[in-house]
Amino acid sequence: MAPITPFNASDITEKARRDLLLLLEGIRGKKNLVLEKSLAGPLNLLVKFSTLQEYGVDKPFFLENDHVDSSQRNVVFLVRGEKAKTVSRVAAQIKRLRHNGQVEHEFYIFWVPRRTMVSDQLLEEAGVLGEANVSEWPLYFVPLADDVLSLELDDAVSDLYIRKDPTPIYLSAKALMLQQQKYGLFPRIIGKGDNAQRLADLLIRMRTEVTAGESNEGYGSSFLGLTPSSTIDSLIIIDREIDFSTVLLTQLTYEGLIDEVFNISANQTEVDSSVIGGTAQQPGQQGSASTSMKRKILIDPKDTLYSTLGDSNFAIVGNLLNKVARRLQSSTERNQLAAKTTAELREFVAKLPGYQAEQASLKLHTSLAEEIIKHTRTDVFTRSLEVQQNIMSGADPTTQHDSITELVSRNVPLETVLRLLCLESTTNAGVRPKDLETFKRAIILAYGPQHMLTLSALEKMSLLQPRGGSSLAGGIGGPAAKPGTVTNYSPLRRSLKLWDDEVNEADPNDISYVFSGYAPLSVRLVQSIIQKQTLASLLMKKPAGGLNQSASHASHMTQGLRLFEDSAKYIRGATVDETQIGEEKAVKARAMLNGSHNDGSKTVVVFFLGGVTRAEIAALRFVAQKLRERGGEGRGSRIVVAATGVVTGEGLVGASVEKASFGGDHVQ
Amino acid sequence: MSKPTSNWEKVGDRFYRKVQLYSDVFDQDLELENYKVVGAPYSGAVAIYRDEEKIHTYRGSQAAKSSIDIYSCAGKLIQRINWDKGSIKGLGWSEDEKLIVVTGDGTVRCYYELQGDFVPFSLGHGAEEHGVQSCRFWSSGFVALLGNNHLIAVSRYDEPRPQLLAKPPTDDVISWSIIPPAYSLSRSVEVVLAIGQTLYVVDATDAEDRDFTAGPFRHISVSPRGEFLAFYTEDGKVWVVSGDWSEKLSEYNSGAKTVPKDMQWCGSNAVALAWEDEVHLIGPKSVATKFYYDAWVHLLPDVDGLRLLTNDVCEYIQKVPAETEAVFRLGSESPAAALLEASTLLDQKSPKADDLIQMIRPSLAEAVDTCVKAAGHEYNIHWQKALLKAASFGKSVLDLYSSDDFVDMCETLRVLNAVRFYEIGLPLSYDQFKRLTPERLISRLLNRHEYLLALRISSYLHLPTSQIHVHWACRKVRLSSDDEESICRLIVKKLNGLPGISFEEIARAAYDEGRVRLATELLNYEPRAGKQVPLLLGMKEDNIALDKAIESGDTDLIHHVLLHMRKKLPLASFFRVINTRPVATALVEASAADQDRELLKDLYYQDDRRLDGSNLLVSEALSQKDNLPAALDKLRLASKYLQDSKEYTSQRQVLDETQRLLKLQEQFEKDLSAPGVEGTGTGPKFVGLSANETIFQLIREKHNKRAQKVQSEFKIPDKSYWWIRLRALVASRHWTELEELAKLKKSPIGWEPFFNEVLAAGNTRVASHFIPKCTSLTVRERVEMWTKCGLLVQAGEEAFKAKDRVLLEELRDRAGGSAAVELERMLGMLGRR
């Protein structure tokens, strides 16, 4: 029997695709599709527009633009039903179409990912429920790569941390539960953070609820579904709240920088067309919805060139590109010269399309990299990077204040400044109240009074807050106000070796390469669970190196065992560690059915509640690769990264930035 | 034992068999000819009601009362639904044994669980004015034909959405039928209408004339899977056409003078015509066989055959399954037949048994399979046993044979025989059972209150039993006359701890019965919080509902409860309820921020959340657009909101400063837009800028005095001010002023930024002015700066002054032309010394 791979990206894609097409098929004739903007990206990833056309979609419209016309009788709404705002918008548009059209419309609403009672209630109040055919498209996880699943909840950060609205937690739990029902329970759930606790509680709760009821509603293998899985090792939940700093830092992997500079959404990035030049026939280019100036580029994880580049530190991307360019050039040229016999010629011609695709991809990435270099050479970039590096390596943050003040005076984008300030606040358990007041004032003077709302939102997110209590005079690293309310980086910096002075970007030996020095706390935590020995030996390694491995092995082991528990003490929020066990008989039955798996090939799911950065994905991939090389360390070796969405520092602080300003919209 | 082939009929080259399922079905007094009879798919219940268009004997006032009676196939009355709701224009079943009754005024009643309870809905689309004429049903929906020939389709019953199909011509419809969505080419329901000489095919979007001339067609029938269509023409012919309308497959002349009262498909390969007591079965290639009855006969089509119902008997006609034919057909030479023979011989202890086995040895496995399958298709228990015994015998001879099929079949047959028993009256064929699935068989048993049998079958087939228990408990709650306490105790004792029990369903049943206390008590046993909420809301236990919703973590549920409470409660008590529940408060806040700001204001006021309240006012001020006085008002309010508490002094200060800034900006706009300035009469805009930006703008426009005023007014640090000044000057290309600045001695931000900014703006000449002033930098850096300005000679001088030979050499290598010569000279001078 073929081994079952849990959290299989292609399975998930296929299912989502089928579900949607089945829904579309159910509507006779042509139809206009109205979709929420935030769903356009995931939709594009799952189904090609030409396929939608085959299924009768005539024209797509964005819900936000409110301009769907009466050109087709059938109107299909594809929207998320969790927020009252979107529901009312749908209701309003149905009403509008109903009143102005001479066409008698048929309305269909596909709620994503589920039909909610609130939506029913609101539609009923608006008097349109009776006219709409309501169904749901259960789209939870959207695979971004083979090992990256995202819920693509764009509002997750503001929902969770500003409004304290637990909807993303519930949806995450639902999504994970569906996977559990398919592949079995996570034998162990480990996590850190208050929201992680909530998520774990929900998962356990849902488990009893599922056993209690839904068994006869057709989930298929119900009696096997709820026994611990034999292919999944564990679920690790990281609440973004425990480690905002990692997000705030500028990512230094190639993919991370693309995200920072151009923004990636659902594997697509928009680049000024002048950047990539006249390469009109890019294989990855999606010309449909782009404006005249911007061009959409698909960041394709399956592109061979990109797969080697994406997770590398940007410092070596230039070299890698060079190498590929040289290889391509030499191979094509040599072949042209050597192509004497027809057999050789045929072989060469057969390879040509591959070369061409590679060449196109090379061209694209070279121009992208050039553009990024332009960006990284700017003074603002280097200055803020310097501040970040200093803060993370444990320097006294007050020494950085001059730089930050200068950046404020220079009117660099607000997000850049806020990132630095928040970074200082999150890594040092707050900013000295006096300094904080000064900065707040400076920001309001420089960027406008509307940002008093921004600042207060940041405080609500506990991104930017005064340092509490006794540590006022204590300087950096003083004990936090209350244990468990803030993440205390100074002990962690030592105990988890968050800062690596001997970082090797070209041939990385530790995850610290993704930030050229800083090893993301979130990933270190994951390591402390699944890669204990390596981490322990890393921590023990004397700066001089050349350590006698076997002698200290035992001590690594003992130290490694408690790494997670020890570090968790210094991190804010609750610590979760639950084991889910099932009936012994059922466990055995499952093990028999799936064949015996050695632990090495088990899957570890790392779920980032509140979003994951591309740099962290790269770091986790690095960890997974190391685990594979060594055959795992008692736990699984395949790591699947799941998250509510992909975030960047800009997006994180951007969630709180007030967009309106006084005096209308003529400014900025 | 009668031969298994005794009820076979040869139709053309195929065999059909007529199995008698039950006898003495109905009371002889029941005048079945005056009744309409419809049967649920998969040998389900039969509903009959008196056809109002026919006269019938008067049997006293009691019998005259109209009713819809639901019988099992064996004639056992399951439920009588008294009917006084108007004329029935459509009666049909859904796949899950819901009885659908459509009345002339377009009301549809959906009776579930074979009980008297129903869910009504109305067809709309003009059904009321024009009246429903007739209806055609498929497994999960139906189509109604109105008086004006409009067609309304309903494709699901849980959430019915009557949909008007395309409009056909308004001439009289002679007969009609539907192709269910699952089998139509368009995947939505299609209607075939016989109008005049021709046929129309109607779906949601268009009505297409099929251009037939052989009409009028008296009957139209669609085969169970839509692959064939049968038409009965005026002159007594039966046409069979393929489902895609591409070819006419056969034509049969019935020779009958009277039009048959019904025409139905028997499975997918024969058409049955029924007159009052005569049935013609027409197979492919237009051959027919005839059956005669003593009484009026009704046809009840099913997926794989046809049920015939008279007062006396319930019979089932189907094509003899291939396996059965292989075993039993006279003179069959199939290995399975030989195996059966061998098995009987073995019983008779005849040595020939072994000879036979050896003969069919090569195909023995196949023979066993055939016997097993044939057993499944057999209704007669004797022959089932014989076939299974034969299979078992064959199996024992084989070395390797997987017995799974055999075991499955034994289990299935046991179940089938149990439900076929006349007291249950579910004469499922094997194929029907496979399609119905055991789960739905269980629910059919529950509808008939056969709990014990359902439980036995469930445990026999390893199915979940929870639904059975719940169903039982619901019924108990509804019907039991015991006191509530003992009912509760009984139910909990039996059900608690069993997996999959939905106490919510039971509680709901109790609540619907008006047993509120019992409902509350039962609800406590429900583990799924989400399930409890709707019922709790219904029971007006709002606070508990809210707690349960929060417990479930499902924000949708919480919103639902909150919306409900918000409508019901006065504001103050609403706030009191959510106050103690942070999640609820957060959700109210989140949704109110988009939808209901007043509510939010009240909430903050009530909770004394001053900063939030003030922020809300600020964001309102922001949304005032160009209405500056209004915005200022809001800001003033926001500031006032905070005045009583000390901790927000800095916030207040910001608010007050903002007001000052806005007023100042307004003033600037007024002053600077005086006619003559800028010519157009509209000066630069200031309102909405930050303090820094205001200064920037002022310096750009050379209003330095005003800029300084802003600086002092808002105590902007010198450093910042200089930066702004620098940027503004560079941005507006005021080079002369910059050069003026270069003459100053000191700058709070040093001179390097000046160099960088000016250079970035592309003016190397002005930039170079600042290089000598950067005294804090190293020589190398300054040399680099000169180089950036393209002034290599000056760079050289810098290096020369510092006597840095290496640097000078580097420069020389980079330089060309006269600069190189000059640099060489300097090197020479250095070298000389």
Side-chain angles (χ1 to χ4, degrees), chain B residues 27 60 65 76 162 176 261 274 377 442 444 449 520 570 611 614 622 633 717 759 817:
Chain B
D27 195 340
K65 257 195 190 160
K76 183 179 154 200
W176 66 293
K261 67 173 182 61
H377 292 301
I442 298 292
R444 287 198 166 185
H449 308 308
T520 328
L611 188 60
S614 139
L622 281 171
D633 276 349
L759 183 69

Side-chain angles (χ1 to χ4, degrees), chain A residues 245 391-395 397 424-430 467 471 474-480 486-499 518 521 567 570-571:
Chain A
S245 306
I391 292 177
M392 288 327 287
S393 61
E424 181 187 333
S425 170
T426 48
T427 38
N428 294 293
R467 197 178 303 155
S471 58
I476 44 141
V486 284
T487 299
N488 196 348
Y489 278 80
S490 6
L492 291 171
R493 204 170 279 136
R494 223 173 323 109
S495 69
L496 284 180
K497 198 166 184 233
L498 292 185
W499 184 259
Y518 167 68
L521 170 63
S567 353
Y570 298 109
I571 301 173

Side-chain angles (χ1 to χ4, degrees), chain A residues 25 28-29 73 82-85 88 104 106 108 114-119 121-122 125 129-134 163-167 170 202 205 208-217 379 402 405-406 408-411 437 441-442 444-450 452-453 456 460 658 660-668, chain B residues 156 159 161 163-164 186 188 203-206 464 466-467 499-502 527-530 534 551-557 559-560 563-564 567 583 586-587 589-590 594-595 612 615 618-619 621-622 625-626 631 635 650-651 653-655 657-658 661-662 685 687-693 714-716 720 723-724 727 757:
Chain A
E25 205 181 40
R28 177 105 171 86
R73 190 162 163 265
E82 302 293 330
K83 294 248 159 66
K85 204 157 80 176
S88 320
E104 208 173 304
E106 281 285 328
Y108 298 85
R114 57 173 183 155
R115 178 179 187 172
T116 57
M117 290 156 102
V118 174
S119 71
Q121 218 169 331
L122 290 174
E125 279 167 24
L129 182 63
E131 291 176 54
N133 294 275
V134 181
R163 299 186 212 174
K164 319 280 179 202
D165 174 349
T167 310
Y170 184 77
L202 264 184
R205 200 186 162 84
T208 60
E209 295 193 349
V210 167
T211 4
E214 256 88 301
S215 60
N216 37 22
E217 284 171 28
D379 192 35
D402 282 344
T405 320
E406 188 191 313
V408 173
S409 308
R410 291 171 69 175
N411 206 25
E437 280 308 314
R441 206 180 132 70
I444 285 169
L445 285 176
Y447 298 96
Q450 68 270 29
M452 63 180 124
L453 299 181
S456 116
K460 218 174 220 168
E658 175 63 43
S661 68
F662 285 101
D665 44 10
H666 63 98
V667 202
Q668 283 148 12
Chain B
R156 53 201 274 201
E159 263 184 51
R161 296 229 182 281
Q163 183 195 10
L164 191 62
S186 62
S188 63
D203 65 11
T205 48
D206 52 2
S466 54
Q467 203 49 42
I501 298 294
S502 165
R528 288 161 299 169
E551 217 176 284
S552 79
D554 185 348
T555 40
D556 176 37
L557 266 182
H559 272 304
H560 179 70
L563 267 174
H564 181 88
K567 271 187 218 144
V583 176
L587 286 180
E589 270 185 75
D594 297 333
Q595 312 232 305
D612 288 326
N615 279 344
V618 173
S619 77
L622 281 171
K625 300 265 168 189
D626 287 330
L635 285 174
S650 61
Q651 186 75 13
Q653 195 191 336
V654 172
L655 285 167
E657 272 184 5
T658 306
L661 178 65
L662 286 172
K685 291 282 268 177
V687 174
L689 297 179
S690 69
N692 288 9
E693 285 159 349
F714 294 101
K715 301 193 192 69
I716 290 170
S720 300
W723 264 108
I724 301 164
R727 284 192 294 112
E757 294 283 326

Side-chain angles (χ1 to χ4, degrees), chain A residues 412-454:
Chain A
V412 301
L414 176 63
E415 282 84 357
T416 312
V417 175
L418 289 179
R419 272 172 89 161
L420 297 177
L421 281 176
C422 295
L423 184 66
E424 181 187 333
S425 170
T426 48
T427 38
N428 294 293
V431 181
R432 230 167 41 189
K434 213 181 98 207
D435 295 339
L436 185 60
E437 280 308 314
T438 324
F439 277 124
K440 277 188 174 175
R441 206 180 132 70
I443 283 171
I444 285 169
L445 285 176
Y447 298 96
Q450 68 270 29
H451 293 298
M452 63 180 124
L453 299 181
T454 307

Side-chain angles (χ1 to χ4, degrees), chain B residues 642-801:
Chain B
L642 297 174
Q643 69 187 1
D644 294 336
S645 58
K646 284 230 171 68
E647 47 181 322
Y648 302 125
T649 39
S650 61
Q651 186 75 13
R652 273 197 74 191
Q653 195 191 336
V654 172
L655 285 167
D656 296 341
E657 272 184 5
T658 306
Q659 294 174 52
R660 281 207 328 263
L661 178 65
L662 286 172
K663 280 182 202 153
L664 205 59
Q665 288 171 334
E666 199 188 12
Q667 188 64 41
F668 288 152
E669 278 186 18
K670 227 181 266 166
D671 293 352
L672 299 178
S673 69
V677 177
E678 298 288 308
T680 52
T682 51
K685 291 282 268 177
F686 286 100
V687 174
L689 297 179
S690 69
N692 288 9
E693 285 159 349
T694 310
I695 296 175
F696 184 87
Q697 201 65 27
L698 286 168
I699 293 179
R700 268 187 82 143
E701 309 284 337
K702 298 192 174 173
H703 302 296
N704 288 343
K705 279 259 169 55
R706 288 191 173 87
Q708 263 159 18
K709 190 180 164 211
V710 177
Q711 188 209 352
S712 61
E713 176 88 25
F714 294 101
K715 301 193 192 69
I716 290 170
D718 256 358
K719 274 190 184 178
S720 300
Y721 184 73
W722 272 72
W723 264 108
I724 301 164
R725 194 167 167 194
L726 165 61
R727 284 192 294 112
L729 289 176
V730 170
S732 56
R733 304 290 192 261
H734 291 325
W735 304 124
T736 40
E737 284 199 39
L738 280 165
E739 281 175 71
E740 284 298 308
L741 278 180
K743 288 174 190 150
L744 289 177
K745 263 216 181 91
K746 259 178 32 192
S747 136
I749 53 173
W751 295 106
E752 210 188 330
F754 281 82
F755 170 79
N756 285 335
E757 294 283 326
V758 175
L759 183 69
N763 193 331
T764 49
R765 188 183 59 82
V766 179
S768 65
H769 284 315
F770 295 99
I771 303 174
K773 301 181 80 80
C774 298
T775 44
S776 61
L777 296 178
T778 62
V779 175
R780 180 171 274 275
E781 278 165 333
R782 267 205 303 281
V783 167
E784 191 57 37
M785 284 160 98
W786 284 113
T787 322
K788 273 186 192 160
C789 291
L791 301 168
L792 287 173
V793 180
Q794 275 85 340
E797 276 166 11
E798 193 79 41
F800 179 71
K801 258 186 264 166

Side-chain angles (χ1 to χ4, degrees), chain B residues 136 172-177 192-201 209-221 229-241 245 248 250-252 259-260 263:
Chain B
R136 295 288 183 269
D172 277 353
V173 174
I174 300 159
S175 63
W176 66 293
S177 187
V192 185
L193 293 172
I195 296 177
Q197 302 283 305
T198 185
L199 291 165
Y200 282 86
V201 177
D209 187 347
R210 282 288 173 182
D211 284 336
F212 276 70
T213 51
F217 297 101
R218 285 293 160 187
H219 285 288
I220 301 173
S221 178
L229 302 153
F231 305 107
Y232 189 88
T233 61
E234 187 75 8
D235 52 356
K237 286 186 180 136
V238 175
W239 287 24
V240 175
V241 173
W245 301 84
K248 188 170 136 189
S250 69
E251 184 179 324
Y252 163 79
V259 177
M263 176 175 80

